[in-house]
Amino acid sequence: NAGVTQTPKFRILKIGQSMTLQCTQDMNHNYMYWYRQDPGMGLKLIYYSVGAGITDKGEVPNGYNVSRSTTEDFPLRLELAAPSQTSVYFCASSTGLAGVPEQFFGPGTRLTVL
Amino acid sequence: AQSVTQPDIHITVSEGASLELRCNYSYGATPYLFWYVQSPGQGLQLLLKYFSGDTLVQGIKGFEAEFKRSQSSFNLRKPSVHWSDAAEYFCAVAAGNYGQNFVFGPGTRLSVLP
């Protein structure tokens, strides 16, 4: 049982390039999330999904896109990368059951945009 | 809107000393509250959580937290800190219909002196 896995661990992009951050969970969780973490700012929610085919914006969605075609996978797409997107990105998942909202986190992807 | 504040950005304690990390939240209903720990270069690990019932909750690694509704606080404590406790600590409140949307505080970085 690997939990939540993310690839890649590190990536450097040039301004204007695009990339996809991969996230997979093997816990059969309905809910999945993408956060970014900037120094001194805690974690900010980018997008979340409550099940396959259903996604919604979080607090900071601009510049990102997501899709959820399966329960296991929740990729995050960056189009036209900008220096402001330099951050550490965390994927998380939870059961979505009422009363049990604990989120499980992946190890993170450190992205630098130059 | 929900919010979480952690008044202390950085705390330094000596090994063996007691620890208290402060967390205050703003939420209209009965909150789900969490403390997570993040070691350098790692993802977030759940320390403990509060849903209802006993206001003093025990977690892993010898940590405990006390929920005080009248003060809107959920402070984290440990009676004797170990060098391995040096990390970043995040308080979070869960919102949404099933508590699926987390709001994180900015974090408190703990340093431990030998």
PDB file of all heavy atoms in Angstrom, chain A residues 10 37 44:
ATOM      1  N   PHE A  10      11.244  16.617  -8.454  1.00  0.00           N
ATOM      2  CA  PHE A  10      11.789  17.934  -8.743  1.00  0.00           C
ATOM      3  C   PHE A  10      11.626  18.204 -10.233  1.00  0.00           C
ATOM      4  O   PHE A  10      11.680  17.285 -11.043  1.00  0.00           O
ATOM      5  CB  PHE A  10      13.285  18.029  -8.404  1.00  0.00           C
ATOM      6  CG  PHE A  10      13.636  17.675  -6.998  1.00  0.00           C
ATOM      7  CD1 PHE A  10      14.000  16.375  -6.660  1.00  0.00           C
ATOM      8  CD2 PHE A  10      13.592  18.619  -5.996  1.00  0.00           C
ATOM      9  CE1 PHE A  10      14.316  16.032  -5.366  1.00  0.00           C
ATOM     10  CE2 PHE A  10      13.911  18.294  -4.693  1.00  0.00           C
ATOM     11  CZ  PHE A  10      14.273  16.999  -4.373  1.00  0.00           C
ATOM     12  N   GLN A  37       2.514  25.057  -1.733  1.00  0.00           N
ATOM     13  CA  GLN A  37       3.065  25.535  -0.469  1.00  0.00           C
ATOM     14  C   GLN A  37       4.161  26.527  -0.753  1.00  0.00           C
ATOM     15  O   GLN A  37       5.193  26.186  -1.331  1.00  0.00           O
ATOM     16  CB  GLN A  37       3.626  24.383   0.372  1.00  0.00           C
ATOM     17  CG  GLN A  37       4.149  24.825   1.717  1.00  0.00           C
ATOM     18  CD  GLN A  37       4.767  23.680   2.511  1.00  0.00           C
ATOM     19  OE1 GLN A  37       5.313  22.741   1.957  1.00  0.00           O
ATOM     20  NE2 GLN A  37       4.668  23.759   3.833  1.00  0.00           N
ATOM     21  N   LYS A  44      -2.095  26.252   0.192  1.00  0.00           N
ATOM     22  CA  LYS A  44      -3.252  26.838  -0.464  1.00  0.00           C
ATOM     23  C   LYS A  44      -3.849  25.824  -1.436  1.00  0.00           C
ATOM     24  O   LYS A  44      -3.125  25.217  -2.228  1.00  0.00           O
ATOM     25  CB  LYS A  44      -2.855  28.107  -1.240  1.00  0.00           C
ATOM     26  CG  LYS A  44      -2.229  29.190  -0.381  1.00  0.00           C
ATOM     27  CD  LYS A  44      -3.204  29.791   0.600  1.00  0.00           C
ATOM     28  CE  LYS A  44      -2.559  30.951   1.349  1.00  0.00           C
ATOM     29  NZ  LYS A  44      -3.475  31.507   2.382  1.00  0.00           N
TER      30      LYS A  44
END
